[in-house]
Amino acid sequence: MKKIICLSVLIFGFIGHAQNAKGTFELTPIIGFASSNYSSSKKLSNDPITTTDFGSYADYYFNNRWSIRSGFLFQTMGSEYRNGIFYTEKLKYLMVPLNANWHFGKKRNWNLNFGFSIGFINSATSNGQDIKKFVNNNQFGLSYGIGYTFKVTEKFGILIDFQGMSGLSEVAKNSEIPLYNNHSAFNVGGVFKL
């Protein structure tokens, strides 16, 4: 009888500790405060823009340490110029990341994710004027981030994270100066374990 009780305690303890085991799926709607700017190999006279991002992550767990993260994120990127005249460029993308997500810490509350993302241009403006025809339709980039989930219940948590993206493809079509998007955001979201 002692062996059965000990074995039961071990099994239930393992089940309780093995959070987000293989096959678990999480959906995390997020909203965030973002900063974006262009980078180039040439010197630029520009400043970052700040915007609000929103969207949702989706994580599929392979075990309690690793998941694959994707989702749909609506992000605004661009820059402000103050070289003689002032103007602001805003490029709105639907971003789809594909990141490996490593969960660590005693309770696996921390996550570190890294991978690639692809963006699809929705609109592009410069001081309110449409410039979409001058911007590449797709954007490729390296995406990365770190976050922490506060577990509220077994099926719900609150995520706070930082996400970044460094563009690998040029923003503009046929530009003399190569421009690349750089984007970072501090997000908060609700983690729903399905």
Side-chain angles (χ1 to χ4, degrees), residues 7-75:
L7 185 60
S8 298
V9 168
L10 284 173
I11 290 172
F12 287 116
F14 177 74
I15 291 170
H17 183 65
Q19 302 165 352
N20 298 334
K22 182 178 180 179
T24 301
F25 184 77
E26 285 180 350
L27 192 62
T28 308
I30 58 118
I31 187 164
F33 174 77
S35 177
S36 180
N37 205 353
Y38 294 149
S39 65
S40 178
S41 56
K42 307 208 174 196
K43 189 170 178 0
L44 300 174
S45 298
N46 63 332
D47 294 315
I49 61 170
T50 55
T51 59
T52 302
D53 290 348
F54 64 95
S56 184
Y57 303 137
D59 275 272
Y60 177 81
Y61 283 78
F62 297 106
N63 55 45
N64 72 345
R65 285 206 177 264
W66 288 98
S67 67
I68 188 89
R69 175 182 281 182
S70 190
F72 296 105
L73 306 171
F74 296 94
Q75 299 177 333

Side-chain angles (χ1 to χ4, degrees), residues 26 108-111 147-151 157-160 191:
E26 285 180 350
R108 309 293 187 261
N109 290 25
W110 288 95
N111 75 79
Y148 186 86
T149 301
F150 297 92
K151 306 270 188 203
I158 297 171
L159 171 72
I160 295 175
V191 181

